[in-house]
DNA sequence: ACGGCGAGCGTACGTTCGTACGCTCCCGGC
DNA sequence: GCCGGGAGCGTACGAACGTACGCTCGCCGT
């Protein structure tokens, strides 16, 4: 069997296995032993590579936010004008709300952790900051901020609704929130 | 000591204790024993009153959604015109995003469960349906749907942001999403 | 007065958990 | 060739877990 000396990707496998396990079974059913089993590494590796569950989770979710931001990037780097950008945002919303469920579930788990524990909020701050950077390529800062919140809400509602709303509604919401010249106060 | 025979509120106490525990420590740290300890009931009561953790959680979150819908109701039953309704929605968003954290955390936990397990989605369906009913008192169905998603996103972003956005931004977003006569397609 | 029964609880069992500790074995210095 | 050290793992231990099972005891029918 591959020893750790010959297998430098052991840490990576552990992190991926942790995310997979969380996505499949939820934070409540995560344990060192189960992660180890899924990653195909010995139990002892867990405490060797990570100082505890929290440490492991923070690092794992760090990888995850990188991934999500990359998805944002993929959708938002190409469009050339605000109209195309709105279309791209709609694509993004629909991709994340009806895709593999993995990204959706992991986002939820992270936000849940962050809602209770400030330590995890570092991760969400960074995530929000970076996604806003992408949106600000196409919209002014205030609009970007509102749109970011709307995207989050649309994804969640689409994913949880019995009959998810169609693309037209998504687009209309995006158009409204990005419409220029609404009365400010 | 109060026996179960003399204490018909035992079930209720268990459910409240379960929600409190989840809010404080997260689903991951919930166990029959801990809930029992917090509720001040013997361990045996747990398996007697509920057929398992899932059963208990579903019932507890049922109470929780009732509570949240009541909050929606409290804010949205009084306003008389769309302008006042927008103000009320902004109040709602700010109340839920900077209040006790309890409601926020529990919403998150429920959505996380629902994202993975269809059984819990029944609860979120009902929740969304009822909150939309309240919104439809003031806005047309499509707008209500978009606004509902926006509210969710705004609450979450405000609660997790390093520097939460101010009321003006909340109001602007609400005004934009509820603005009449946006180009449909 | 008394017997039975079922709501409700206490407890013991087998399992699973995180972590501390000691062993292995590779690699670089001599 | 040999030795020392540290990266990395296997394992054993005590705490915590869910649940099955049997007991208690108040109430109702007689």
């Amino acid at each position: 069997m591959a020893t750790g000396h010959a297998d430098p990707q052991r840490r990576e496998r552990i992190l991926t296995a942790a995310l997979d396990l969380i996505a499949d079974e939820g934070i409540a059913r995560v344990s060192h032993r189960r992660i180890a089993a899924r990653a195909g590494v010995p139990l002892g590796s867990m405490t060797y590579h990570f100082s505890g569950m929290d440490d492991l989770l923070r690092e794992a979710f760090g990888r995850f936010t990188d991934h999500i931001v990359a998805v944002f990037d993929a959708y938002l780097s190409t469009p050339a004008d605000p109209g195309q950008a709105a279309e791209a945002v709609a694509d993004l919303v629909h991709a994340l709300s009806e895709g593999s469920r993995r990204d959706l579930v992991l986002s939820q788990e992270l936000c849940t952790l962050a809602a209770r524990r400030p330590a995890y909020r570092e991760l969400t701050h960074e995530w929000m900051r970076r996604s806003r950077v992408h949106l600000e390529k196409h919209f002014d800062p205030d609009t970007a901020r509102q749109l970011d919140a709307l995207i989050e809400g649309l994804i969640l509602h689409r994913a949880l609704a019995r009959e998810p709303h169609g693309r037209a509604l998504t687009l209309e919401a995006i158009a409204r929130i990005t419409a220029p010249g609404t009365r400010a106060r």
Side-chain angles (χ1 to χ4, degrees), chain A:
Chain A
M1 202 62 286
T3 77
H5 297 279
D7 182 11
Q9 314 190 16
R10 187 145 291 198
R11 263 182 81 92
E12 291 305 317
R13 287 225 314 286
I14 292 174
L15 292 171
T16 327
L19 291 176
D20 288 347
L21 186 60
I22 294 169
D24 283 359
E25 314 222 22
I27 286 274
R29 301 185 58 81
V30 166
S31 75
H32 282 167
R33 292 167 128 89
R34 273 210 263 262
I35 297 172
R38 196 179 257 248
V41 305
L43 174 61
S45 299
M46 295 293 122
T47 45
Y48 177 73
H49 289 291
F50 304 93
S51 77
M53 201 70 235
D54 266 6
D55 183 29
L56 199 166
L57 288 185
R58 267 196 302 275
E59 195 158 343
F61 277 115
R63 307 297 164 108
F64 173 69
T65 54
D66 287 348
H67 161 68
I68 285 287
V69 172
V71 173
F72 257 71
D73 189 28
Y75 279 87
L76 294 180
S77 61
T78 40
D81 62 65
Q84 284 180 21
E87 298 278 345
V89 169
D91 291 342
L92 176 63
V93 166
H94 285 238
L96 286 178
S97 60
E98 64 198 13
S100 66
R101 290 252 160 219
R102 187 191 139 101
D103 289 348
L104 176 75
V105 168
L106 290 175
S107 306
Q108 279 301 305
E109 293 279 8
L110 175 55
C111 289
T112 305
L113 285 173
R116 191 170 28 241
R117 315 246 322 258
Y120 289 90
R121 236 169 281 163
E122 303 295 327
L123 290 171
T124 57
H125 290 159
E126 200 47 23
W127 173 11
M128 284 167 49
R129 196 188 58 74
R130 294 207 272 166
S131 57
R132 254 185 286 136
V133 165
H134 281 118
L135 293 173
E136 285 174 8
K137 286 181 203 154
H138 308 288
F139 308 100
D140 71 89
D142 277 358
T143 302
R145 203 152 175 159
Q146 297 168 36
L147 181 55
D148 200 17
L150 177 67
I151 291 172
E152 201 72 34
L154 286 174
I155 291 174
L156 191 61
H157 274 238
R158 255 187 69 78
L160 296 187
R162 201 191 315 263
E163 301 174 4
H165 62 262
R167 196 167 192 280
L169 197 86
T170 305
L171 259 178
E172 187 183 18
I174 296 166
R176 284 174 163 180
I177 215 89
T178 60
T182 311
R183 65 196 150 91
R185 50 186 57 239

